[in-house]
C-alpha cells in the first residue's frame, strides 16, 4: 500500500481529475496489495474506516462485516474510486428525477478482489457486502481530500423517504439526531426498476 500512497503524494500541486487518478491507480494490482498493517490488528467483524492519507487524495480502508451495507446515497461534493482488497462488493446505482419524483434502479453489479470502481460526482448508489459469512475490505480514493456530507442526499427505498444531510453528519445514515438533516421528505419518490 505504501507504493500506492507514494504515487498519490506525487499528485500534490497538480490538477487532479478522474483520468489522472485512474491512470495512477491502474499501475497497481489491487489483488496483491498488502494492507493488514493499516488495520492495527483489528478483527474484521465490525464496520470501520481507517484514514491512511489526507492529501492530495483522501485514502481510507473500509472493513465491511458480512452483509453490511450503506444506505443509498449521493456523492454531491466528491468523486473517487474504490478498489476491492478482499471479498466481494455489490453496487446498485440509481438515477433520481426530482421533477417526476422517480428513483430509477439499475441492476446490481458485483466487484471482486483486485477490481476498481469509479464513483463519479453526483452518483447515487448503494454499496454492500453480500456475503453471509465473509468480510469485505475496500480502499477508497476520494477527491477533494477535505469533504463533508453537507448537502448529500440519502434514500430510504422501503419507506420512500429522502433526506439531505447537513455539515454535522459524520456519515451517510438514517440514525442521526434530527438536527443532522437539512430536510427529510416522506413519500418523496416512487422506485422504477430498470431490470
Amino acid at each position: 500500500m505504501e507504493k500506492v500512497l507514494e504515487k498519490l503524494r506525487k499528485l500534490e500541486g497538480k490538477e487532479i481529475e478522474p483520468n489522472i487518478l485512474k491512470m495512477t491507480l491502474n499501475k497497481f494490482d489491487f489483488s496483491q496489495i498488502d494492507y493488514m498493517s493499516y488495520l492495527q490488528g483489528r478483527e474484521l467483524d465490525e464496520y470501520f474506516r481507517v484514514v491512511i492519507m489526507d492529501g492530495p487524495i483522501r485514502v481510507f480502508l473500509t472493513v465491511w462485516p458480512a452483509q453490511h451495507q450503506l444506505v443509498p446515497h449521493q456523492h454531491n461534493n466528491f468523486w473517487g474510486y474504490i478498489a476491492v482488497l478482499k471479498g466481494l462488493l455489490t453496487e446498485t446505482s440509481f438515477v433520481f428525477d426530482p421533477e417526476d419524483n422517480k428513483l430509477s434502479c439499475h441492476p446490481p453489479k458485483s466487484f471482486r478482489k483486485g477490481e476498481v470502481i469509479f464513483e463519479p460526482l453526483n452518483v447515487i448508489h448503494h454499496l454492500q457486502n453480500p456475503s453471509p459469512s465473509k468480510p469485505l475490505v475496500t480502499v477508497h480514493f476520494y477527491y477533494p481530500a477535505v469533504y463533508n456530507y453537507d448537502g448529500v442526499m440519502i434514500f430510504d427505498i422501503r419507506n420512500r423517504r429522502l433526506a439531505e444531510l447537513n455539515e454535522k453528519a459524520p456519515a451517510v445514515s438514517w440514525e442521526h439526531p434530527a438536527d443532522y438533516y437539512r430536510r427529510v421528505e416522506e413519500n418523496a419518490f416512487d422506485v422504477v426498476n430498470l431490470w
Side-chain angles (χ1 to χ4, degrees):
M1 184 65 74
E2 195 54 43
K3 288 183 180 179
V4 177
L5 300 180
E6 284 175 25
K7 282 283 188 194
L8 294 174
R9 286 184 192 106
K10 291 180 180 177
L11 297 175
E12 187 72 53
K14 296 182 180 174
E15 182 179 339
I16 299 175
E17 49 86 22
N19 284 331
I20 295 292
L21 184 52
K22 180 180 180 181
M23 287 188 310
T24 302
L25 297 178
N26 280 346
K27 295 176 182 175
F28 299 96
D29 178 357
F30 284 97
S31 68
Q32 302 298 315
I33 295 291
D34 180 16
Y35 59 89
M36 286 303 291
S37 62
Y38 293 96
L39 300 181
Q40 306 156 353
R42 290 177 68 172
E43 296 295 321
L44 305 182
D45 58 356
E46 64 177 299
Y47 178 82
F48 65 94
R49 289 180 170 185
V50 177
V51 176
I52 59 177
M53 191 169 94
D54 241 346
I57 305 291
R58 174 169 277 193
V59 181
F60 57 88
L61 293 169
T62 302
V63 172
W64 310 67
Q67 297 189 321
H68 187 84
Q69 58 187 304
L70 297 179
V71 299
H73 60 280
Q74 179 189 40
H75 288 224
N76 76 323
N77 54 10
F78 58 96
W79 57 265
Y81 292 87
I82 300 173
V84 179
L85 302 177
K86 176 184 180 71
L88 181 72
L89 174 68
T90 298
E91 176 190 44
T92 304
S93 61
F94 302 87
V95 175
F96 179 57
D97 183 343
E99 290 180 15
D100 292 337
N101 295 325
K102 301 249 187 256
L103 185 67
S104 300
C105 175
H106 292 272
K109 295 179 183 176
S110 293
F111 300 89
R112 301 189 183 289
K113 180 178 176 179
E115 295 185 305
V116 178
I117 308 156
F118 179 49
E119 295 181 287
L121 186 66
N122 290 318
V123 69
I124 300 172
H125 65 172
H126 172 252
L127 300 171
Q128 70 179 59
N129 175 1
S131 173
S133 59
K134 296 178 182 175
L136 163 68
V137 180
T138 54
V139 59
H140 301 243
F141 305 92
Y142 287 157
Y143 185 81
V146 178
Y147 65 88
N148 61 41
Y149 294 105
D150 187 28
V152 169
M153 287 194 304
I154 61 174
F155 297 82
D156 177 350
I157 305 295
R158 179 172 290 137
N159 297 306
R160 299 174 41 234
R161 292 186 301 167
L162 76 79
E164 186 177 350
L165 302 171
N166 65 29
E167 69 283 349
K168 293 181 182 180
V172 292
S173 175
W174 286 99
E175 305 300 320
H176 298 312
D179 64 337
Y180 283 43
Y181 303 96
R182 183 172 289 143
R183 65 186 168 104
V184 176
E185 293 180 24
E186 303 290 338
N187 299 314
F189 55 84
D190 291 317
V191 177
V192 178
N193 282 325
L194 298 177
W195 48 293

